[in-house]
Amino acid sequence: MFKKILIANRGEIAVRILKACRELGIPAATVYSEADREALHVVSSPEAHLIGPAPALKSYLNMAEIIRVARSCGADAIHPGYGFLAENAGFAGACAGAGIAFIGPGPEAIAQMGLKVQSRRLAREAGVPVVPGSGGALETLAEARAQASRLGYPVMLKASAGGGGIGLQLVLREENLERAYKTCRERAAAGFGNPGVYLEKYIARPRHVEIQVFADKQGNVIYLGERECSVQRRHQKIMEESPSPLADDVLRARMGEDAVRLAGSIGYLGAGTVEFLVDDAKNHYFLEMNTRLQVEHPVTETVTGIDLVIEQIRVAAGCPLSVRQEDVKIKGHSLECRLYAEDPSNFRPSTGVLEEARFPAAEKIRVDRGVQRGYRVTPYYDSLLAKVISRGDTREESLDLMRDALKEIKITGVKTNIDLLIKVIAHPEFRKGNLSTDFIERFAGCLLGRASSGKAVGN
Ligand code: MV4
């Protein structure tokens, strides 16, 4: 096992990883920027090292400095958390080069999944259904035209180096293709330094369902059920649950086996997530693979009883997976709500000092928080304050527990999205499990207390 783990992250996930290290009896150290001197992950860490000024490029993304700290403090492993350096193949390679274990997959797996045209090809080769689309990146507008006609409108243009919503363009008609093609290329170049774009057939009102996979060095690959992540705003998830109200045993097994084949085909190691779009007819299509621990991992932990961070550390150290596929049982239901410091009227981060920060404590409620009273929300980092996770025997119970827990939270000093979360849980369509990726937009009228735009985001 590792002698010491350096946690190269901040906020709730750094606190979460500290807990896993404590439970395993492994000494841990954290890093922090000048803006985080009094942050929760620093004050609750047995050892913390200043790595630079507030801007992430100078601190949490400063690879050389993080590796230097790991060496000097005697850490033989680095946990990157999510975001920052978690999916940076160069960083994973640099750790290996310095003789430090990167707690995650190898640099090749990270790089292969980082390019979407490549990950689509790997999925296809592994026999995983992908959305019909252009084979590779498009070289010219003429090629885009030809491919779009072949697929049939509407189509989506996506950035090959992308992921998330950056560059994404819905194209309803051929006359709008030229403009969308140029915009997508420009955004891809500006956002990712790579202007490559590709085309996919548009899936109307899809649901976002993802499979948690896990692999060890012995060649075992398993899946730990699915997470439904359809409630999003501006391509950022705000609520996730497991199991998905849409999934039955057949769909779960199909998606799970597909995800496992893909991970196995690239020699994956550790925790990974295979994202799918699911259409009205319950067809699933590979979207992308995230080669890291996800923000929403607690709902999977809650319904499987498996600690994913402990498991990550164990398999990185060469231990075999602690469970076999046939022993994985999904029990009950879990919902996660992400608590953001943000202005509900425009979803923009709300900065300021937390005058009060009180969270509920209850047996069936877990709170993963990264902040305490007195914490200053700055524009430098993501404005996620905490995650609230409920555990019920049924979806109904889990939703009721969450509603009561959210009502107990008291945060003052910044604006938050708590009221929005409470309204979503109370919404009859959410209760029924009628979710879709445009849920917030579709019900904006009653959720946000303003008129729903009703407009299609597209060209
Ligand atoms: C799509 C799609 C419909 N059809 N692809 C958005 C983020 C990026 N990772 C993929 N996204 C989408 N790709 C096809 N062919 C709809 C979306 C999409 C979406 C997907 C998941 C969660 C939320 C979403 C919100 C809007 C659009």
Side-chain angles (χ1 to χ4, degrees):
M1 192 37 80
F2 300 122
K3 289 201 307 280
K4 188 190 271 188
I5 294 175
L6 182 67
I7 300 166
N9 214 301
R10 66 181 302 284
E12 66 87 18
I13 196 63
V15 175
R16 167 73 188 86
I17 299 163
L18 275 169
K19 173 170 173 276
C21 292
R22 206 179 310 125
E23 287 176 14
L24 283 168
I26 302 174
T30 52
V31 295
Y32 64 98
S33 73
E34 284 166 8
D36 276 342
R37 288 178 189 281
E38 283 155 51
L40 189 62
H41 79 278
V42 176
V43 301
S44 52
S45 179
E47 181 184 327
H49 302 272
L50 179 66
I51 50 167
L57 271 173
K58 305 231 145 125
S59 48
Y60 297 103
L61 290 170
N62 186 343
M63 301 191 221
E65 181 62 9
I66 289 168
I67 289 176
R68 192 194 65 71
V69 166
R71 275 213 174 107
S72 75
C73 79
D76 51 355
I78 294 182
H79 197 308
Y82 54 70
F84 296 125
L85 298 168
E87 291 176 282
N88 187 315
F91 182 66
C95 289
I100 297 164
F102 175 83
I103 300 176
E108 304 79 18
I110 298 175
Q112 282 179 314
M113 288 302 158
L115 280 178
K116 304 308 159 198
V117 287
Q118 202 173 349
S119 67
R120 273 169 54 84
R121 183 173 53 74
L122 290 165
R124 211 166 38 237
E125 286 169 5
V128 179
V130 299
V131 187
S134 57
L138 302 162
E139 300 299 335
T140 62
L141 175 61
E143 192 186 344
R145 272 224 178 79
Q147 292 282 352
S149 305
R150 180 179 65 82
L151 294 165
Y153 289 86
V155 293
M156 280 204 126
L157 275 164
K158 300 186 174 187
S160 178
I166 299 176
L168 207 65
Q169 297 282 311
L170 170 58
V171 191
L172 299 175
R173 284 179 296 275
E174 168 146 20
E175 66 201 77
N176 302 330
L177 183 69
E178 178 167 359
R179 173 111 176 246
Y181 177 76
K182 287 183 175 151
T183 305
C184 191
R185 283 188 76 87
E186 280 162 19
R187 301 216 173 133
F192 308 108
N194 176 344
V197 303
Y198 66 102
L199 266 173
E200 280 180 9
K201 176 96 188 136
Y202 175 63
I203 311 286
R205 269 196 192 169
R207 300 180 46 149
H208 174 130
V209 182
E210 60 187 30
I211 297 285
Q212 176 72 53
V213 293
F214 237 104
D216 63 20
K217 291 186 181 175
Q218 287 72 20
N220 302 300
V221 190
I222 61 170
Y223 67 94
L224 301 175
E226 79 285 358
R227 294 183 289 260
E228 162 84 52
C229 308
S230 293
V231 181
Q232 316 206 349
R233 49 114 180 97
R234 301 200 319 179
H235 298 297
Q236 188 167 45
K237 299 162 186 165
I238 56 171
M239 297 162 94
E240 306 93 352
E241 56 183 293
S242 186
S244 162
L246 171 94
D248 50 44
D249 290 345
V250 174
L251 180 62
R252 177 171 306 118
R254 273 201 203 124
M255 294 176 64
E257 286 161 21
D258 281 345
V260 162
R261 267 202 322 287
L262 175 59
S265 76
I266 61 164
Y268 199 77
L269 176 68
T273 296
V274 181
E275 296 186 353
F276 293 98
L277 289 182
V278 181
D279 70 13
D280 289 340
K282 288 200 185 184
N283 297 303
H284 64 285
Y285 304 95
F286 171 78
L287 197 55
E288 51 192 76
M289 179 168 185
N290 301 318
T291 56
R292 60 163 192 275
L293 182 74
Q294 305 245 142
V295 178
E296 59 272 25
H297 74 277
V299 295
T300 299
E301 297 186 317
T302 304
V303 297
T304 62
I306 299 169
D307 186 309
L308 299 193
V309 181
I310 288 180
E311 205 67 23
Q312 278 190 299
I313 295 169
R314 288 171 43 84
V315 301
C319 303
L321 281 169
S322 65
V323 281
R324 292 171 305 184
Q325 187 68 64
E326 56 267 37
D327 300 329
V328 176
K329 294 278 177 298
I330 308 296
K331 199 163 153 275
H333 180 276
S334 182
L335 172 67
E336 171 178 280
C337 285
R338 299 190 190 184
L339 208 59
Y340 284 98
E342 69 182 20
D343 186 334
S345 70
N346 57 14
F347 301 130
R348 290 251 112 84
S350 169
T351 57
V353 174
L354 303 188
E355 289 153 12
E356 272 189 284
R358 272 188 289 162
F359 297 97
E363 192 205 326
K364 292 176 173 184
I365 292 292
R366 162 177 167 183
V367 179
D368 282 16
R369 67 187 168 111
V371 301
Q372 72 280 52
R373 198 157 63 90
Y375 173 84
R376 177 180 289 276
V377 181
T378 69
Y380 295 112
Y381 316 112
D382 188 80
S383 62
L384 180 67
L385 300 175
K387 307 184 304 204
V388 182
I389 302 109
S390 63
R391 170 170 51 90
D393 291 333
T394 62
R395 186 172 187 267
E396 279 240 281
E397 186 193 359
S398 166
L399 267 52
D400 288 342
L401 287 163
M402 179 63 75
R403 178 200 53 214
D404 298 346
L406 291 174
K407 286 183 176 166
E408 276 182 49
I409 296 174
K410 189 146 173 61
I411 292 179
T412 57
V414 296
K415 293 176 180 160
T416 74
N417 66 336
I418 296 179
D419 288 346
L420 171 63
L421 295 168
I422 292 172
K423 282 182 190 157
V424 172
I425 290 171
H427 200 284
E429 293 301 313
F430 184 84
R431 278 269 159 189
K432 282 189 256 171
N434 286 338
L435 313 177
S436 64
T437 46
D438 61 356
F439 189 92
I440 299 285
E441 263 297 302
R442 190 145 56 104
F443 301 111
C446 60
L447 295 173
L448 305 171
R450 63 166 130 97
S452 170
S453 78
K455 75 168 190 227
V457 260
N459 296 284

